[in-house]
């Protein structure tokens, strides 16, 4: 028997519950704020710990992040260091993010932001120059984890010219890959579309910055599907106003919900979505949680490990 506290609304649906029970027949689960009468459970599946959140029990052995990026859980001091944190790995979520990136890449091809602005001002101003082909459009993808790789290969399969950068070197069919600090500058050089899918870590904070924007082709589209902390907002504002960046598709923000008075809301070259670029799918999330539980049971390496346990209190 494994006891799981589900503390994310995306885990409350019947499809998720049925899929999890299919993978882990002896699971006993509760949907927060419900919980076991004795307060004890083995696994906490949560995106963000609410404020306040009941004290975590001694029985807890694993925190499963109900999302691809666990930066906020790693930083949460209410989670003791002896607990491992793993993140969800879900092909369905990766496919949604690939759709989002393709949407922005096609918007670039179709000059979408210009015509939106023209429409808002009642301006009829067709551009008759030959339209770019997909292969003409150079996309730079930052981050080659499971999601970044899916996004890069999907864009490449759609016909875009794709480069991708990761901290350590990776190979990906149909994609020119770069790594290391020098590789980053080379990867983004001349890009028309810059897609960020990096994890947020001290070395990636503010990486979407003025020096990077200056290397893009003027008028490039920026697509931030990572975290708000990756983006230097002042640099973005300057780059938008200087035409260095033609349009920014932003799905994640330093403060969420984005404060109503923030300049980003009303900038005509910014497209906002409320952090829905790729949501965990019920089947994929259940499968990922089940894989983590199985690894915990068998003391196998935890898939999606973000932070290892500081001590050894980690098997079921
Ligand atoms: C969403 O931001 C996620 O990390 O899954």
């Amino acid at each position: 028997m494994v006891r799981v506290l589900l503390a994310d609304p995306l885990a409350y649906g019947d499809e998720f519950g049925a899929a999890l029970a299919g993978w882990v027949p002896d699971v006993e689960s509760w949907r927060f704020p419900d919980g076991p009468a004795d307060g004890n459970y083995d696994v906490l599946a949560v995106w963000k710990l609410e404020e306040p959140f009941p004290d975590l029990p001694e029985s807890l052995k694993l925190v499963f992040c109900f999302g691809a990026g666990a930066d906020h859980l790693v930083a949460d001091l209410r989670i003791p260091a002896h607990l491992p944190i793993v993140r969800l790995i879900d092909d369905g979520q990766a496919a949604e993010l690939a759709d989002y990136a393709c949407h922005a890449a096609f918007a670039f091809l179709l000059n979408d932001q210009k015509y939106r602005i023209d429409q808002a001002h009642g301006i009829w101003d067709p551009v008759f120059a030959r339209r770019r082909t997909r292969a003409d459009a150079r996309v730079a993808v930052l981050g080659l984890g499971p999601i970044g790789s899916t996004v890069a290969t999907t864009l490449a399969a759609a016909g875009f010219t794709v480069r991708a950068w990761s901290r350590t070197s990776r190979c990906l069919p149909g994609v020119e890959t770069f790594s290391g600090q020098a590789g980053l500058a080379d990867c983004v050089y001349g890009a028309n579309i810059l897609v960020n899918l990096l994890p947020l870590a001290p070395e990636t904070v503010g990486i979407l910055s003025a020096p990077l924007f200056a290397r893009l082709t003027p008028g490039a589209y920026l697509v931030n599907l990572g975290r708000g902390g990756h983006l230097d907002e002042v640099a973005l504002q300057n780059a938008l106003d200087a035409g260095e960046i033609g349009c920014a598709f932003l799905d994640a923000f330093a403060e969420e919900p984005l404060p109503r008075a923030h300049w980003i809301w009303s900038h005509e070259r910014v497209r906002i979505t409320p952090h829905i670029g790729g949501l965990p799918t019920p089947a994929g999330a259940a499968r990922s949680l089940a894989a983590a539980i199985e690894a915990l049971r068998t003391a196998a390496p935890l898939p999606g490990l973000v932070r290892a346990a500081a001590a050894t209190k980690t098997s079921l």
Side-chain angles (χ1 to χ4, degrees), residues 47 66-70 72 93 147 225-227 275 278 280:
W47 162 239
F66 216 87
H72 47 285
Q93 182 186 29
I147 291 178
L225 294 168
R227 289 284 182 262
H275 209 141

Side-chain angles (χ1 to χ4, degrees), residues 114-128:
K114 168 193 156 40
Y115 291 122
R116 279 182 166 240
I117 295 171
D118 286 355
Q119 179 177 350
H121 296 280
I123 295 172
W124 183 272
D125 177 32
V127 174
F128 290 123

